[in-house]
Structure formats: C-alpha cells, structure tokens
Amino acid sequence: MIDYNVNINGLDVKANYSEEAVNNIFIPLLKKLSQLQQEKGRRILVMLAAPPGAGKSTLVSFLEKLSEETAGVKAIQTIGMDGFHRRQEYLTSHTTVRDGEVIPMVKIKGAPETFDLELFTEQIKKCLSEKECGWPVYDRTLHNPVDNVITITKDIVILEGNYLLLKEAGWDKLKDFADYTISVTADENLLRDRLIARKALSGNSIEDATAFVDYSDMVNVKTCLTKSAKADLTLKVLSTSDGSCDYEVVK
C-alpha cells in the first residue's frame, strides 16, 4: 500500500493506493500516454471524468507525482474543472428550477448549470493552442475559484471533472478536444459516505452535510453515472477493508 498526502482545494487529503493498482493500471496508463504524445508530437489533453466523491482530484494529483518518479514516462501536468465554478456571489444572486421550485443556484452548487461552461471551453482551447496557459483552481475554504494558480507547461495534461463526458448540449462538445478519455465509476453508497465526510470537513455539521449531499450532490452523482459518454478507459473504485484506494479496469 502506498500512502499519499496532498492538499486538494484547500483541504488536506490522506489517500493510499494499492501496489496492484499502481503497477497494473497507473504505470501502464502513463506509458500509454507518453507514447501517444510522442506519436502526436504536440501537447495532448486527457480528460478524466468521474462523479463527485470518486477521488478524481486526488487520483490525478497522485498520477502527476507518479509520472515524475517513474522511469520511461513523460511527466504529466494535472488540472481540474472546479476552477470554473461560478463565483459564490453569482450563485447566491441567481436562481434555477429544481423539482418545479425556483431556488437560489447556490443550493445546488456543483450541478452542471452552476459552472461557466463558455469560459471553461475557451480556456481548454487556450490550453491546446498556447505554449503556456494560466489555469484557475477552486478553494473550498474560500468557496470561490482563484485565477491563474497553475501555469500549464507540460506536453501531457490531464483534466479532471464531473461533467467532461456529459451527454448534454454544450457539454457533449468537450470530448472533441480530448486525445484520450478516462471514466471513473463507483457504487452510489460509497460515494455518498465520502461526500458527507468531505462536506463535514468544510465546517458543516453531519446533519447539514447529509442534507446537502442528499439534496444536491447525489443528484449530480446520478447524472454522472447515467448520462456520461463511454470513455477510452473505464476504472471502477473498489471498496476495500484496509481503506486503500483500489481500482479495477471495466471491460
């Protein structure tokens, strides 16, 4: 088991990955991407889509570290779509409709309509056309994006997010920018438990965290699991007794 500690969006995360997943899935994936980049002779963009709570941000961060420590593969750079959340002041002052009720958008923060898809699409184009490109991140302690925290310079870029393969108008165009796609799936109950724990870490009570997850996050989970296009590679998060993050390839 390989321990990995990292700060994700302002929160300290402790994860551990099984050696089997590292040796049989992650390193072969990095080798494949290195070969693909060499064949294309330019920056390639890999999109990794996963539902909330699947550990995608931590996973791509680990893959970045692994690429820097593994002989025979190119170093990768990882970025996320969370930096394109609409700002908190926008979400509190605009409304949407959920179950026939007009509600503030902030009540379903994380749903597709709470992201700035147009800005996101334009920044993806810049990532592919410019040698260096700034990229925002989302800070969970500020509850807002922070611009240009990352400068993209590498030839292999992995972009992670919930809705990168979503089969809805506008979102369904994103995969056209990808050279390779990865999907991560998991059991709904496992994701729910993880999401409640994460929401509580942001300063919410367990009761408030549970209410938000059941009202908002689980709708997004179902959207990702049922309305995403097929990827080049699909991984499933496995529940393990020792708490490690184990995966299997879905054929």
Side-chain angles (χ1 to χ4, degrees):
M1 191 162 59
I2 299 172
D3 295 329
Y4 182 58
N5 300 324
V6 66
N7 186 281
I8 301 291
N9 297 336
L11 295 178
D12 291 326
V13 177
K14 294 182 178 181
N16 34 63
Y17 297 94
S18 72
E19 292 190 11
E20 183 177 359
V22 171
N23 294 324
N24 296 337
I25 300 176
F26 300 158
I27 291 178
L29 171 63
L30 294 174
K31 289 180 177 178
K32 182 180 184 69
L33 298 180
S34 296
Q35 182 181 356
L36 181 61
Q37 190 280 324
Q38 207 167 28
E39 291 170 355
K40 301 241 179 183
R42 57 166 174 79
R43 174 175 292 158
I44 64 168
L45 179 64
V46 181
M47 290 187 178
L48 185 147
K56 61 193 174 303
S57 301
T58 307
L59 173 58
V60 298
S61 173
F62 178 72
L63 288 174
E64 183 175 293
K65 179 174 182 289
L66 188 63
S67 74
E68 295 167 353
E69 299 173 348
T70 303
V73 305
K74 293 197 71 168
I76 66 172
Q77 190 164 12
T78 59
I79 54 178
M81 67 170 279
D82 278 357
F84 296 90
H85 274 288
R86 294 192 183 275
R87 294 190 63 81
Q88 191 78 352
E89 51 268 30
Y90 179 98
L91 298 176
T92 55
S93 61
H94 288 72
T95 60
T96 187
V97 177
R98 172 67 61 89
D99 299 329
E101 179 187 1
V102 178
I103 60 170
M105 292 184 79
V106 71
K107 287 193 71 174
I108 57 166
K109 188 172 184 177
E113 59 265 41
T114 66
F115 288 87
D116 190 334
L117 177 58
E118 183 177 352
L119 179 61
F120 183 39
T121 303
E122 288 304 310
Q123 203 66 15
I124 289 174
K125 291 177 182 177
K126 284 186 180 180
C127 168
L128 291 171
S129 64
E130 299 179 5
K131 189 172 182 181
E132 291 191 0
C133 173
W135 197 267
V137 302
Y138 183 79
D139 192 314
R140 291 187 185 281
T141 60
L142 299 176
H143 306 291
N144 262 327
V146 182
D147 290 337
N148 298 321
V149 173
I150 298 171
T151 301
I152 299 170
T153 59
K154 297 286 196 300
D155 288 333
I156 302 175
V157 177
I158 299 183
L159 168 61
E160 58 85 5
N162 297 140
Y163 309 117
L164 300 177
L165 296 175
L166 187 62
K167 296 185 290 186
E168 290 188 357
W171 294 97
D172 58 355
K173 305 297 184 186
L174 294 180
K175 66 180 183 299
D176 295 340
F177 298 108
D179 295 284
Y180 191 78
T181 57
I182 303 167
S183 176
V184 179
T185 186
D187 176 77
E188 283 188 26
N189 291 326
L190 174 64
L191 295 175
R192 181 177 181 269
D193 291 344
R194 287 184 170 193
L195 288 165
I196 291 170
R198 186 174 75 185
K199 193 72 176 173
L201 282 175
S202 298
N204 297 276
S205 68
I206 290 296
E207 292 77 12
D208 288 346
T210 301
F212 180 86
V213 167
D214 286 340
Y215 180 76
S216 179
D217 281 342
M218 291 309 295
V219 174
N220 301 332
V221 165
K222 290 178 172 63
T223 296
C224 293
L225 292 178
T226 62
K227 296 182 179 179
S228 293
K230 184 175 175 57
D232 296 314
L233 171 68
T234 300
L235 304 176
K236 183 175 182 179
V237 182
L238 302 178
S239 180
T240 59
S241 57
D242 62 3
S244 63
C245 299
D246 211 359
Y247 297 81
E248 67 177 7
V249 176
V250 179
K251 303 295 185 182

